[in-house]
Amino acid sequence: MKKSLFLLLIAAVSALGGLLFGYDTGVINGAQFYLTEYFQLSDALKGWVVGSALLGCFVGAIIAGPLSVKIGRKKSLIISAVFFTLSAYGSGLPELFPQTVSMLVVFRIIGGLGIGVASMNAPMYIAEIAPSNIRGRMVTYYQLAIVIGFFVVFLATYFIGNNLSLAQNIEFGWRRMFWSELIPSILFLVLLFIVPKSPRWLALKGRDKDALAVLQQINGDEVALKEMKDIKASLNEANDGVDVNYFSKAILSIIAIGTILSVLQQFTGINAVLYYGADIFEKALGFGKEDVLLQQILLAFVNLVFTFVAMFTVDKFGRKPLLYIGSVGMVVGFLLLSITLQQQNVGVISLIGVLVFIASFALSMGPVVWVLLAEMFPNKIRSVAMSVAVAAQWAANYVVSQSFPVVMGSETNTSEPWNGSLPYYIFIGFILIIVFVTYKFIPETKGKSLEEIEEFWKK
């Protein structure tokens, strides 16, 4: 197989794994109004149906670590594709299944398991197989595909729902919205059988000949031999007869740094803006219901465009500069929004603030965190460390999504001097912490092999 075709297959895995992440997370938003009417859900039960996938995401991320060590990155992704497919089919509740909320929740949790396993294994697989000079861009394909997934599912659910009457949507339209995910999930499953296994996992299992063959397909003979030598040296050092002590100060500190960075991605407030975008535009910013759809499309478009910017600059500028630039932009965006809220002068400036925040996140913390998590951990602990960091990210996602509406509706926030701006000042505080953590603890990984990055932690 030619090098270009080989890398295209890797990109396809990256794209479809990420797209399903975004699609499965977003499909419930398009379907929830109609299934709420179909099942006559209370607010509490509606929240459980919508949020139940996060439970699966958390558990999936936890099991993804040992799973990827035991059976490999590729087979773990195959399992996630099966989960996605089962969830897409089952969430539509075909006639052979009981027509109950409990059954729907079961399949939403299965979809969450797929997201959890894929969100750890996909970026790690890409990082372990991509050439170092384009690794950053290859991993950002994953974040780009998540964003595209959100956008595509929005269009798909709109197209399905727009061609049916309200009664038809309530009866079966929401089922078709879930079933529309079968197309990318089955394609993902099929493609996974023709891509190679991770060379670093193969070397970890003592399959040096197979690992070298994969590296030669990517880099050519000379570079492959050098990289194989570095991988073996790293693994020999890791397998020196001493079991890995994950609670040692050195290893615990590496995992802690990655986990903190992963959690801070959520504490920027990104999912508060994405999950509750309609509420923000309607309630906080004063836009009418007729304007909300347009604003949501605008958010998705800005998110998509600036993820492309990150993809083409992460290997040129480096990881840390993008984090600094993005952090400044996120602070400026939320300040514009917060000040206009405090002054009770919401309008175009407020909207610009939200869009500046989205753009800044999309070129920094969105893709760069996935790149760094896939790169920064040493070979001997990568699977477990990634599993911990990604599980913590899903837990943080849950905390933000549950606490944001509570803080928004609190008397403190709705009265002087905050006037609805308190959550955004809290997010600004966490963004400033990102700048400190990046400066103090995060290595610059641009252009370095995974084994060279590993040397950073020994200094």
Side-chain angles (χ1 to χ4, degrees):
M1 185 183 296
K2 292 182 179 180
K3 180 180 174 181
S4 58
L5 182 59
F6 188 81
L7 291 175
L8 183 62
L9 282 173
I10 299 169
V13 170
S14 160
L16 283 171
L19 187 139
L20 282 163
F21 179 160
Y23 203 106
D24 199 86
T25 304
V27 69
I28 191 69
N29 293 326
Q32 57 91 11
F33 173 79
Y34 305 114
L35 65 87
T36 296
E37 292 295 317
Y38 181 84
F39 288 109
Q40 293 295 298
L41 300 177
S42 65
D43 287 342
L45 205 52
K46 175 184 171 183
W48 170 232
V49 170
V50 173
S52 57
L54 287 175
L55 175 62
C57 294
F58 179 74
V59 174
I62 290 175
I63 66 172
L67 195 66
S68 68
V69 173
K70 182 75 174 176
I71 66 173
R73 292 41 160 158
K74 175 178 172 175
K75 288 184 178 177
S76 296
L77 286 172
I78 289 173
I79 289 174
S80 76
V82 172
F83 283 147
F84 282 128
T85 305
L86 288 174
S87 175
Y89 180 67
S91 294
L93 295 182
E95 291 183 2
L96 65 143
F97 294 130
Q99 303 295 297
T100 63
V101 175
S102 297
M103 184 58 63
L104 174 60
V105 167
V106 166
F107 283 107
R108 293 307 301 147
I109 291 174
I110 290 173
L113 288 170
I115 296 172
V117 173
S119 63
M120 192 215 98
N121 276 283
M124 182 168 66
Y125 170 79
I126 300 158
E128 290 188 341
I129 208 165
S132 60
N133 63 315
I134 60 167
R135 187 177 58 241
R137 190 176 77 212
M138 294 289 288
V139 178
T140 58
Y141 282 140
Y142 178 70
Q143 175 66 20
L144 174 65
I146 294 173
V147 174
I148 292 174
F150 272 114
F151 192 69
V152 168
V153 74
F154 171 78
L155 295 177
T157 54
Y158 177 79
F159 178 78
I160 292 168
N162 195 48
N163 285 283
L164 299 172
S165 67
L166 177 61
Q168 288 174 322
N169 274 315
I170 293 172
E171 181 59 31
F172 59 82
W174 60 272
R175 303 176 192 271
R176 293 181 180 178
M177 292 175 188
F178 285 118
W179 290 336
S180 68
E181 190 184 343
L182 283 168
I183 298 171
S185 63
I186 292 173
L187 185 60
F188 182 46
L189 181 59
V190 171
L191 279 177
L192 280 166
F193 283 97
I194 58 175
V195 298
K197 295 177 180 178
S198 162
R200 284 165 175 82
W201 181 80
L202 289 169
L204 188 67
K205 295 299 180 180
R207 296 169 59 181
D208 295 357
K209 185 177 179 180
D210 293 333
L212 180 60
V214 175
L215 289 170
Q216 286 172 330
Q217 282 183 285
I218 303 168
N219 301 298
D221 292 346
E222 186 177 342
V223 175
L225 288 169
K226 179 183 182 301
E227 195 157 344
M228 189 67 199
K229 181 180 178 182
D230 291 341
I231 292 171
K232 289 303 295 180
S234 170
L235 292 176
N236 288 336
E237 185 176 331
N239 299 322
D240 55 5
V242 180
D243 290 336
V244 176
N245 179 10
Y246 288 99
F247 295 98
S248 67
K249 183 178 179 181
I251 291 179
L252 200 59
S253 64
I254 298 171
I255 296 175
I257 291 168
T259 301
I260 289 169
L261 182 69
S262 187
V263 166
L264 285 171
Q265 186 198 59
Q266 296 301 308
F267 284 175
T268 59
I270 182 60
N271 280 323
V273 175
L274 294 179
Y275 291 166
Y276 300 101
D279 288 342
I280 291 171
F281 287 131
E282 184 182 350
K283 296 175 183 177
L285 301 185
F287 292 108
K289 289 182 182 293
E290 68 278 2
D291 298 317
V292 167
L293 183 60
L294 179 61
Q295 319 302 339
Q296 291 285 68
I297 293 173
L298 199 53
L299 278 189
F301 179 72
V302 170
N303 200 1
L304 184 61
V305 168
F306 280 87
T307 302
F308 272 110
V309 174
M311 188 172 70
F312 290 107
T313 57
V314 67
D315 286 318
K316 183 178 181 181
F317 296 159
R319 286 54 160 161
K320 293 178 73 166
L322 286 186
L323 289 180
Y324 292 137
I325 293 167
S327 295
V328 171
M330 285 188 286
V331 169
V332 169
F334 271 157
L335 279 176
L336 288 174
L337 173 60
S338 300
I339 292 170
T340 55
L341 285 169
Q342 285 183 290
Q343 294 177 344
Q344 296 184 312
N345 187 28
V346 295
V348 175
I349 299 299
S350 312
L351 177 59
I352 290 173
V354 173
L355 295 179
V356 168
F357 167 79
I358 290 288
S360 301
F361 177 87
L363 67 81
S364 61
M365 286 296 286
V368 174
V369 166
W370 290 114
V371 173
L372 284 168
L373 289 179
E375 293 177 328
M376 66 185 289
F377 298 120
N379 284 325
K380 62 181 177 180
I381 66 167
R382 184 172 296 121
S383 294
V384 172
M386 276 280 288
S387 182
V388 171
V390 174
Q393 185 181 124
W394 284 112
N397 185 331
Y398 181 81
V399 169
V400 172
S401 64
Q402 294 299 304
S403 61
F404 179 75
V406 175
V407 177
M408 279 290 285
S410 68
E411 186 177 343
T412 301
N413 180 54
T414 54
S415 58
E416 296 282 353
W418 302 110
N419 294 329
S421 64
L422 178 58
Y424 307 108
Y425 280 112
I426 294 173
F427 292 141
I428 286 172
F430 282 113
I431 294 166
L432 294 176
I433 294 173
I434 290 171
V435 176
F436 171 76
V437 170
T438 300
Y439 174 77
K440 189 74 175 176
F441 301 108
I442 303 300
E444 179 52 71
T445 57
K446 181 185 75 169
K448 294 182 173 64
S449 72
L450 297 181
E451 288 65 42
E452 287 172 333
I453 295 168
E454 189 172 329
E455 291 298 316
F456 172 86
W457 302 110
K458 299 175 184 177
K459 295 177 183 177

